[in-house]
Amino acid sequence: MMHRFLIANRDELAARCRVKVQARSAYGVPGAELEHGISVFLEQVIKTLELEQTADPLQSRRVSGRAGGGKPALSEIGDTAARHGKELMQHGFTVEEVVHDYGDLCQAITDLAFELDAQIEVEEFRILNRCLDNAIANAVTEFGYQRDIVVADQHVHDLNARLGSLAHELRNQLATATLALSAIRNGSVGVTGATGGILERSLVNLGNLIDRSLAEVRMTAGLPLQSRLFSVHEFLAELRLSASLEADIRGFTLKVSNVDPSLAVDVDRDLLLAAAGNLLQNAFKFSHPHTEITVNAYAVADRILIDVEDRCGGLPSGDAEKMFLPFTQHAQDRSGLGLGLSISRRSIEANAGLLSVRNVPGTGCVFTIDLPRHSLGDEPTEFAGP
C-alpha cells in the first residue's frame, strides 16, 4: 500500500525534493526546509491514505479536502499549503516554483516506486492527485494574494513619494511667489524690478508643474484621446507664445521655424502641447545660459517631425535613452521629479507617434517628435443637402 511505502521512504523522498528545488532555483533558504513545506505535506498524504483504509473513508476529506475544487472548504492540507504559499512568496520564489514544489513530490514518489518495483494501486494515485490538486490550488491562491498586497503597498509607497515631491515643489514655488507679491504690495519694490521677475518665474514654474501633472494623470488613467486635425503652423505659434515668457525670464533666445500652413497633425492637442512644453522646459533647464533654443517643424514623406534642440553641451555616451526613464535626472539641477521626458514619450506614443533624442557632442541634444502627416484638406466634407 502507498502509505506504507511513503512511511518507509519519507526521508529519501524529502531529500529528492530538496535536490530538485535547489537545482531549479537560487531563491529560498539554502539547506533548510520552510516550516510548512513538503515534509508536512508528505505526512498529510500518509494520514489521508490511512484514513481511506478505515470504516469511514470520508473522514480523510478533513485532511485532504474534497476532489474537484469548487467552493473552498477547510482542510489540513489547504491550511498548511496556504501558509506554504505565503512563505514561498516571502522568500522570493515565483508562482511557477510554487507549483513545481508540490510536483516534485509526485515525481519523486513515481521515480522511487519504479526503482523499488513498489506496487501502488490506481485508486491510491487518485487520492495522491486529490491531495496535490488541493495543496497547489491553496498555495497558489495565497501566493497570489500575498503578492498583490506587496504590489499594492509598493504602489502606494511610490505614489506617496511622487505626491510628496510634487507638493514640495508646488509649495516652494508658491511660497516664493507669495513673498515676492507681499514685497510688491508693500510698495518697497516695483513690479518691473528683480522682485517682479521672481514672482513671474514662480508663476511660470507653477504653470509648468500643473501642466505636466495633468498630462501624467491623463496618461496614467488611460483617458480617451481628444484627437482633432489642426495646423502645425498654428500649433507652433501657440507653443512659441507660451514658451517665450520662460525663455525671456531665463535669458534664452527662442527661435521657432516657419512651416507650411497646410501641414497638419491629427492628435490630442493638449497632450502634444504638454509634451512639446516639457521638451522646452528641459531645454531651458539644462542649456548653457544665454544660448539659443530652436524649434523646427518639417515634413518628410508621410511624417511630420518637430525638433527641439537645446544647448546642454551634449551627453556622455549611452545616456541618451536613459533620459526617458522615469525619475531619472543626470544633471546637477535636481529640481523636478525626473518624470517630464517619460510623460512626454508616453503622450506622443499614445498619439501614434515617436519621441526620440539625438546627441550632438559638444553642442546639445535634439529631441524629435515624429507624428503621422496630414493636410488641412483632409477634413471630412459635410453634406450640405440640396
Side-chain angles (χ1 to χ4, degrees):
M1 292 186 177
M2 182 183 282
H3 71 276
R4 294 174 182 169
F5 169 78
L6 297 180
I7 293 172
N9 297 283
R10 55 160 64 97
D11 291 341
E12 174 63 19
L13 292 170
R16 292 191 179 201
C17 289
R18 291 192 192 96
V19 170
K20 290 178 181 292
V21 170
Q22 291 173 358
R24 185 171 57 246
S25 175
Y27 298 105
V29 183
E33 186 177 7
L34 299 175
E35 182 179 355
H36 301 92
I38 292 303
S39 293
V40 174
F41 175 68
L42 182 56
E43 295 300 324
Q44 291 169 335
V45 172
I46 292 172
K47 184 177 180 181
T48 299
L49 289 166
E50 289 175 335
L51 288 172
E52 287 284 339
Q53 305 302 316
T54 65
D56 188 6
L58 291 180
Q59 291 295 319
S60 68
R61 272 56 172 182
R62 292 185 303 177
V63 181
S64 68
R66 60 174 176 264
K71 185 177 180 179
L74 180 65
S75 68
E76 292 182 21
I77 283 180
D79 180 59
T80 55
R83 298 183 188 185
H84 190 48
K86 179 179 180 179
E87 290 172 332
L88 291 173
M89 196 283 301
Q90 292 174 336
H91 285 83
F93 286 84
T94 66
V95 68
E96 179 186 15
E97 290 166 329
V98 175
V99 175
H100 281 304
D101 201 44
Y102 288 96
D104 290 339
L105 178 60
C106 183
Q107 188 65 49
I109 291 173
T110 303
D111 290 345
L112 187 59
F114 178 78
E115 293 170 15
L116 299 179
D117 196 24
Q119 298 301 312
I120 297 177
E121 298 179 2
V122 172
E123 183 60 29
E124 291 176 318
F125 267 113
R126 288 200 183 101
I127 296 170
L128 173 62
N129 285 332
R130 184 177 79 219
C131 294
L132 286 168
D133 287 345
N134 290 333
I136 292 171
N138 282 275
V140 168
T141 299
E142 185 64 21
F143 181 95
Y145 174 74
Q146 295 296 331
R147 182 181 56 190
D148 289 345
I149 290 177
V150 171
V151 171
D153 287 346
Q154 186 60 48
H155 176 73
V156 171
H157 178 271
D158 292 343
L159 179 61
N160 288 339
R162 291 162 64 183
L163 290 176
S165 297
L166 177 60
H168 178 71
E169 286 191 77
L170 290 171
R171 184 183 63 187
N172 286 345
Q173 298 297 337
L174 183 60
T176 301
T178 302
L179 290 173
L181 179 61
S182 297
I184 293 172
R185 291 180 63 183
N186 288 336
S188 57
V189 296
V191 176
T192 58
T195 304
I198 293 174
L199 174 60
E200 195 172 39
R201 282 193 297 274
S202 298
L203 293 176
V204 168
N205 289 337
L206 280 171
N208 291 337
L209 283 170
I210 292 170
D211 289 343
R212 185 188 67 200
S213 300
L214 289 175
E216 182 186 9
V217 168
R218 288 194 60 189
M219 296 307 302
T220 303
L223 297 177
L225 298 178
Q226 304 295 325
S227 297
R228 63 187 180 91
L229 190 71
F230 56 88
S231 164
V232 175
H233 175 78
E234 293 180 359
F235 172 78
L236 290 183
E238 182 180 355
L239 183 65
R240 175 168 45 202
L241 182 63
S242 63
S244 292
L245 178 59
E246 186 170 2
D248 292 341
I249 291 173
R250 292 177 175 266
F252 291 102
T253 300
L254 177 62
K255 182 179 179 180
V256 181
S257 68
N258 292 320
V259 64
D260 184 347
S262 68
L263 291 179
V265 289
D266 188 2
V267 298
D268 189 306
R269 187 180 185 121
D270 291 339
L271 286 183
L272 179 59
L273 187 61
N278 267 328
L279 297 180
L280 281 172
Q281 291 168 34
N282 193 71
F284 294 144
K285 182 176 179 180
F286 298 114
S287 292
H288 298 311
H290 309 297
T291 54
E292 183 179 83
I293 309 299
T294 62
V295 180
N296 295 310
Y298 50 99
V300 176
D302 62 344
R303 311 297 293 182
I304 287 181
L305 307 179
I306 302 174
D307 291 341
V308 177
E309 185 172 357
D310 63 36
R311 293 295 185 272
C312 67
L315 296 171
S317 177
D319 275 8
E321 277 300 310
K322 294 179 182 177
M323 297 172 67
F324 292 104
L325 297 175
F327 304 106
T328 300
Q329 296 173 315
H330 292 279
Q332 292 182 349
D333 186 343
R334 296 288 175 170
S335 61
L337 300 179
L339 288 169
L341 293 179
S342 174
I343 297 170
S344 296
R345 171 169 276 185
R346 289 163 56 198
S347 298
I348 298 302
E349 290 176 347
N351 283 282
L354 299 170
L355 176 58
S356 59
V357 61
R358 175 168 54 87
N359 184 35
V360 183
T363 301
C365 297
V366 181
F367 290 88
T368 299
I369 297 173
D370 182 339
L371 294 167
R373 177 178 178 174
H374 292 271
S375 170
L376 287 182
D378 293 341
E379 304 103 324
T381 302
E382 294 185 6
F383 180 66

